[in-house]
Amino acid sequence: LAHGEARVVNHSSEARNLPFTSLNAKYFEKNGGNLGGNSSSFIWNFLSGGGRWERYHQSKLANSVFSQELARKIRESGLDVKSLCCHPGYAITALQETSNADGGLGHGIFERFLERNVAQTQEDGTMPLLLSMAGTDVKNGEMYGPENGMKGPPKRCNPGRLTTVEAGKMLWEVSETACGNFDFHSKM
């Protein structure tokens, strides 16, 4: 990396695109511990739009949205900083093990199909993150993931249709309400 180059790298997931629900401020506001249901079933959550998989989707979508909004703020301010986002695709990690143990992804044929035909190793899943952190040709606002979305060498990818300017403005406002104003100065 060039001397003095700063990067902010957020980690997202393909789950940012599923289910197809837009970013919702209620998941980022104080709510007295009401997290929106606790169903562990991926299929039920996908159909009902609630429970822990919806919260996971919202958090991973928020990482993508925040990265894009931060990139816009950086461009506007003239700072020499890069905001990047990445996702590991379908990397076999403890997430699948704990989800399956709790009935989250289902068992049997579907799980084995995904692991044999769609998944990649944890090590391969780290490659988009490493590229975002240390790649020499990455640019502010870019996102990286496996070449076919779920596995393969890392390449630049599209953040997805749910990562919108409107969602970025909403998340930035909610974040500043929670944490205070984020002040950007062009040159410090």
Side-chain angles (χ1 to χ4, degrees):
L1 296 179
H3 178 71
E5 180 180 284
R7 296 182 188 191
V8 176
V9 179
N10 281 301
H11 204 242
S12 188
S13 166
E14 279 292 280
R16 73 189 183 284
N17 297 317
L18 289 171
F20 307 110
T21 54
S22 298
L23 198 64
N24 189 328
K26 78 177 186 177
Y27 289 99
F28 308 102
E29 298 170 340
K30 293 180 181 179
N31 61 18
N34 179 6
L35 299 177
N38 203 30
S39 172
S40 62
S41 168
F42 177 78
I43 302 298
W44 176 250
N45 283 207
F46 183 77
L47 295 173
S48 69
R52 67 180 72 165
W53 285 105
E54 176 64 18
R55 291 191 302 276
Y56 184 74
H57 158 71
Q58 289 285 321
S59 70
K60 296 307 179 181
L61 178 57
N63 288 348
S64 175
V65 168
F66 190 86
S67 294
Q68 291 301 308
E69 186 63 18
L70 180 58
R72 280 189 280 281
K73 300 280 187 184
I74 289 168
R75 277 191 293 276
E76 290 171 3
S77 73
L79 289 171
D80 188 20
V81 177
K82 295 175 183 177
S83 172
L84 298 130
C85 195
C86 61
H87 73 88
Y90 192 139
I92 298 176
T93 66
L95 175 65
Q96 289 81 23
E97 291 174 28
T98 57
S99 295
N100 287 336
D102 198 24
L105 290 175
H107 297 283
I109 295 171
F110 179 66
E111 176 187 349
R112 284 192 297 275
F113 172 81
L114 289 176
E115 289 180 359
R116 288 184 187 143
N117 299 294
V118 179
Q120 63 183 357
T121 66
Q122 294 177 51
E123 294 80 7
D124 288 339
T126 65
M127 296 311 293
L129 178 61
L130 292 173
L131 178 64
S132 297
M133 293 182 335
T136 57
D137 295 327
V138 299
K139 294 179 179 56
N140 182 39
E142 292 181 338
M143 181 168 198
Y144 290 89
E147 90 179 337
N148 78 0
M150 294 294 191
K151 70 179 180 179
K155 72 169 207 156
R156 186 175 174 202
C157 62
N158 187 321
R161 66 177 181 79
L162 298 173
T163 301
T164 64
V165 172
E166 296 78 23
K169 290 177 180 178
M170 178 274 295
L171 183 59
W172 199 265
E173 184 178 309
V174 169
S175 298
E176 285 193 324
T177 299
C179 301
N181 289 342
F182 304 130
D183 192 19
F184 286 83
H185 300 288
S186 60
K187 300 289 178 197
M188 299 179 105

